[in-house]
Every structure is written in structure tokens, then in C-alpha cells.
């Protein structure tokens, strides 16, 4: 099976702009989670979608939002970008025998200037 | 809320040295434990996982980890590291019925040839 894919791989934006990132999960996986990875904070959970519904949400401001489509593909949107939003954004789909394992994509590296 | 501590932030070893990376979690109930690895320029991938049964878990590339419930620990080991093991290693835990892992801050391992 193909792995989790994310587009674009790299993005440069300026403060105040908005950005949309895309994630396609492994075929058959219905859960998609998003994480922010930074050197100082490590991996922090943003939110999880399952069957087009947000099931869990991390501790991020409302500028961070997401959605999931009927084909399980997911998008994450960040509005009014701040310098501190510069990070690697990882998407993961959940699989395994009991759906307990996260499988990660390569990430989108966002730089906010 | 649960937390995960990785006490070694940076580890530098020579090839053929033995490796042990510490991971401790804070949660008194049932846990599922994971080690992920992120090679330079690559996506986060699963090294090994523990759900139940034998507390000594073997993963890919010669890695193993031991779950010690009384110490709330899940340390990662490899008897002889290679240059290709240079990477960032993350310990993660899920608790109760949640599938959302909490990650440690990561340990950067550099192996000198």
C-alpha cells in the first residue's frame, strides 16, 4: 500500500497570510491526525478526524482548523500566520490490528517570514 | 494528563557501541508504548510497539525495548549501533481508550563511523 502523502512538502509564507496543507491517508484508513513538530516543543497534537468528523483536538488556537473529506483526505488550514507557526506539520493515519498505530507522512515544512 | 520524558536529549556514540535511550511515562493505568524513529530527511516511522504480553519487544533493525511497569519505563536498546542509526528517536504512549499518542521531546542520536 502507498504510504501517507502530504502536499506541498515545503512552503514559505509571510505573517498574516493563510495556508492550507493537504494529507492523503493510507488506503482504507479512516482516521487522520495532524501534529506540529518544532525543535523546542517536539510533536504536539493538533486534531484528529474520523469519517469527516473532528474527534479530538489539541491545545491550539482557533487559527488552526481542519476538515476531512468523504474519501478520508484531510486538509489543515492556518489563518493569520505568525512567525511561531514555522514548523514541520505532520499528518498521520491510523491503522494496525486494532487501529492503534499512527503511520506518518513526510510532513510539510512551513516557514513564516 | 499523561506525559512522556526522554532524559537523553543528545547522544553521541561510536559505531559498535551499545545504545540505551531512556523513556519514562506518567500514567497509572493501562498503556500502549511506542518508539518511533526519524532519519534525516525522512518521515517518522515505527520502530516497535508494546501492547501486552512479553515485556521485551523486538523491533526493526535490531532494536528492542523493555517495558518495566514498576518503573513506568520503556527504554530502547541496541547492542551495537551503526552509522546508519543516526536519527531522532521518539518515545510515545497512548492510554486508556485513546488512540492519540503523547510524544516525548525526542533524543538525537549521532553515530560516528
Amino acid at each position: 500500500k502507498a504510504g501517507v502523502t502530504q502536499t506541498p512538502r515545503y512552503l514559505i509564507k509571510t505573517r498574516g497570510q493563510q495556508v492550507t496543507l493537504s494529507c492523503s491517508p493510507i488506503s482504507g484508513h479512516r482516521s487522520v491526525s495532524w501534529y506540529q513538530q518544532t525543535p523546542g516543543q517536539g510533536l504536539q497534537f493538533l486534531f484528529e478526524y474520523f469519517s469527516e468528523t473532528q474527534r479530538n483536538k489539541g491545545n491550539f488556537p482557533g487559527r488552526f482548523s481542519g476538515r476531512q473529506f468523504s474519501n478520508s483526505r484531510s486538509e489543515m488550514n492556518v489563518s493569520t500566520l505568525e512567525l511561531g507557526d514555522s514548523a514541520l506539520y505532520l499528518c498521520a493515519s491510523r491503522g494496525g490490528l486494532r487501529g492503534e498505530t499512527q503511520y506518518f507522512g513526510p510532513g510539510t515544512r512551513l516557514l513564516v517570514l | 494528563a499523561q506525559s512522556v520524558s526522554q532524559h537523553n536529549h543528545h547522544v553521541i556514540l561510536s559505531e559498535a557501541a551499545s545504545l540505551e535511550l531512556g523513556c519514562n511515562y506518567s500514567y497509572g493505568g493501562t498503556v500502549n508504548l511506542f518508539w518511533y524513529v526519524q532519519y534525516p530527511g525522512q518521515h517518522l516511522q515505527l520502530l516497535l510497539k508494546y501492547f501486552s504480553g512479553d515485556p521485551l519487544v523486538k523491533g526493526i533493525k535490531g532494536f528492542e525495548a523493555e517495558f518495566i511497569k514498576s518503573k513506568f519505563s520503556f527504554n530502547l536498546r541496541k547492542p551495537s549501533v551503526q552509522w546508519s542509526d543516526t536519527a531522532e528517536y521518539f518515545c510515545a504512549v497512548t492510554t486508556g481508550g485513546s488512540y492519540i499518542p503523547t510524544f516525548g521531546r525526542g533524543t538525537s542520536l549521532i553515530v560516528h563511523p
Side-chain angles (χ1 to χ4, degrees), chain B residues 28-101:
Chain B
T30 303
V31 293
N32 296 324
L33 298 155
F34 307 81
W35 275 98
Y36 284 87
V37 61
Q38 191 173 35
Y39 297 103
Q42 296 188 29
H43 64 277
L44 208 61
Q45 54 188 286
L46 184 69
L47 259 183
L48 48 78
K49 58 187 177 183
Y50 170 83
F51 295 128
S52 62
D54 189 344
L56 185 62
V57 180
K58 294 192 184 301
I60 60 171
K61 305 189 180 187
F63 286 91
E64 65 178 30
E66 185 176 13
F67 170 50
I68 303 179
K69 190 174 181 180
S70 60
K71 294 185 178 180
F72 299 89
S73 70
F74 190 56
N75 291 354
L76 181 71
R77 300 195 293 247
K78 187 171 184 179
S80 176
V81 295
Q82 301 173 312
W83 174 78
S84 57
D85 293 324
T86 294
E88 187 107 18
Y89 292 81
F90 294 91
C91 180
V93 60
T94 60
T95 61
S98 173
Y99 292 115
I100 306 301

Side-chain angles (χ1 to χ4, degrees), chain A residues 17-76:
Chain A
Q17 287 187 309
Q18 73 151 19
V19 67
T20 299
L21 313 181
S22 181
C23 170
S24 292
I26 292 172
S27 177
H29 289 187
R30 292 163 62 190
S31 163
V32 172
S33 298
W34 288 90
Y35 297 82
Q36 182 193 67
Q37 185 180 8
T38 58
Q41 300 295 321
L43 276 99
Q44 294 187 288
F45 170 71
L46 281 154
F47 29 67
E48 180 198 23
Y49 285 87
F50 185 91
S51 294
E52 302 179 64
T53 302
Q54 187 180 91
R55 290 181 60 166
N56 291 286
K57 189 176 188 305
N59 190 25
F60 277 81
R63 300 185 297 106
F64 292 82
S65 63
R67 59 177 175 167
Q68 188 180 33
F69 303 95
S70 58
N71 61 358
S72 294
R73 190 178 70 84
S74 176
E75 286 183 348
M76 188 189 92

